[in-house]
Amino acid sequence: MQVREWDPAAAPAEELSSLLRANNLMLATDVPEDPPWRADSFREYLAVTMPDERRVSWIAVEGEDLLGYASILLVGDIAVLEIMVRPDARRAGLGTKLLATAAKRAESEAYGSIGVEVAGGTAAADFFEAQGFRCAFVEMRNLLDLSTVDWPQLAILAEGVGSGYRIEYHPGGPPELMFDEYAHAKATMRLNPSYDLELRPSSYDSDRLRASLATLHARGLKPYVVLAVHEPSGTVAGLTEVVVPAQRPTRADQYDTVVVQAHRGYGLGRALKARMLTELRTAEPQLEDVQTWNAVGGDEAMGRINDELGFKSNREWREYEADVDDVLRRLGRGD
Ligand SMILES: CC(C)(COP(=O)(O)OP(=O)(O)OC[C@H]1O[C@@H](n2cnc3c(N)ncnc32)[C@H](O)[C@@H]1OP(=O)(O)O)[C@@H](O)C(=O)NCCC(=O)NCCS
């Protein structure tokens, strides 16, 4: 068995198909409620990053057989790890070997810590605890099954905003003219202000927002935005973002929902999310569900809105973190 650095942009199509198959075996084993991935834009998903970020990837192969994959995304001051071992090749030390390879590279790139997001109740949580990682943050993933939605009621919720506010729908992302306003609203505060490791994309200034939207499109992730505009001032009072991935187009990801402090209490959070769902029903008729994450014990207002819309808690999502030095020391430097 050999672990080798791997460039998804240049990899032969057969390797990508093997990785996709391994990924779907992993999903069926670890998170069977998740839809399998398709080949659409899979290469781009793996290869493209934000301009100021870099991803280094490896595959573990035995002959032609692809047994595992790992990558680190070098972003800010943290190396964000993804690691996967095909279910039939687990508990033989391969995950440890991939982790050691990734940690050594993080060290040589002068990154001091590694972060990873893990579905709760899976082998991965045990793996990272065994490797000395600490759990830095726990979120609950919520799923909304669109077949259970009361659409006429949702249309009413979507209209329920205080006077002086307008809700706008922008498939593809916010209009260029609103970039500054939009980024400002995001920077002001999230509806859920709890700390997390920021392993997901966020865009707090207009240049980064522009780059982030271009990156999403290039990776096959289609963004949708709904804005609340405060009409007297023309400012962005709130926003919500959803992404529909080409790789699994039946499940959408609800990213940030933000209502700026001064505009809370006018029904904007609920109306933004409700309007988004009504638009998605038409724009993405193949969608079956929408997933979103909330800090455990976090923002109550957001929790109430999600309940009202019909989101159901699905499973914990845990963010683990470790110092690169500690990981390497534990693994005897992985040599
Ligand atoms: C996490 C994962 C990569 C581990 O791969 P692996 O090759 O089985 O890992 P190792 O064999 O090196 O395991 C090392 C140690 O981790 C712990 N561990 C791993 N899987 C475990 C499990 N199912 N239950 C309890 N402990 C476990 C054990 O202490 C193990 O040592 P041992 O086998 O000597 O007892 C694999 O389970 C996986 O692909 N999971 C799904 C993908 C995923 O969720 N990745 C994380 C998010 S990107």
Side-chain angles (χ1 to χ4, degrees), residues 48-55 73-76 111 201 208 215:
V48 177
T49 66
M50 291 276 282
D52 56 348
E53 295 173 358
R54 218 153 30 93
R55 187 182 291 109
L73 182 68
L74 301 171
V75 37
Y111 278 74
R208 198 161 166 80
T215 306

Side-chain angles (χ1 to χ4, degrees), residues 44-80:
E44 292 76 11
Y45 180 86
L46 297 168
V48 177
T49 66
M50 291 276 282
D52 56 348
E53 295 173 358
R54 218 153 30 93
R55 187 182 291 109
V56 187
S57 311
W58 298 266
I59 53 172
V61 287
E62 196 155 61
E64 298 286 282
D65 220 11
L66 188 149
L67 302 180
Y69 162 86
S71 69
I72 46 172
L73 182 68
L74 301 171
V75 37
D77 57 1
I78 194 164
V80 180

Side-chain angles (χ1 to χ4, degrees), residues 26-27 29-31 67-69 81-87 89-99 116-119 122-131 317:
M26 179 270 285
L27 291 174
T29 303
D30 296 292
V31 274
L67 302 180
Y69 162 86
L81 175 70
E82 289 198 18
I83 186 164
M84 189 241 309
V85 170
R86 219 171 63 186
R90 291 185 187 172
R91 296 307 284 271
L94 182 48
T96 305
K97 189 162 180 166
L98 286 164
L99 173 64
V116 62
E117 265 192 321
V118 164
T122 65
D126 293 315
F127 173 79
F128 286 107
E129 295 201 0
Q131 303 287 358
W317 227 255

Side-chain angles (χ1 to χ4, degrees), residues 161-168 178 181-182 185 226-239 258-264 266 268 272:
V161 292
S163 66
Y165 291 99
R166 177 175 79 240
I167 305 290
E168 293 182 356
M178 298 192 93
E181 268 293 318
Y182 187 88
V226 173
L227 297 178
V229 178
H230 181 238
E231 290 179 315
S233 61
T235 55
V236 172
L239 59 96
V258 178
V259 175
V260 175
Q261 189 79 44
H263 301 287
R264 295 194 183 173
Y266 297 98
L268 299 181
L272 285 166

Side-chain angles (χ1 to χ4, degrees), residues 298-312:
D299 193 278
E300 268 181 41
M302 192 74 254
R304 269 201 307 279
I305 292 170
N306 284 339
D307 287 350
E308 206 174 334
L309 295 174
F311 279 91
K312 301 266 181 280

Side-chain angles (χ1 to χ4, degrees), residues 19 25 46 88 91 105 122 140 148 184 190 207 230 237 241 244 274 278 318:
L19 180 56
L25 285 170
L46 297 168
D88 59 339
R91 296 307 284 271
R105 183 59 173 265
T122 65
M140 182 59 71
T148 66
H184 179 71
R190 293 180 178 193
D207 286 343
H230 181 238
E241 301 169 338
V244 179
T278 59
R318 304 166 78 85

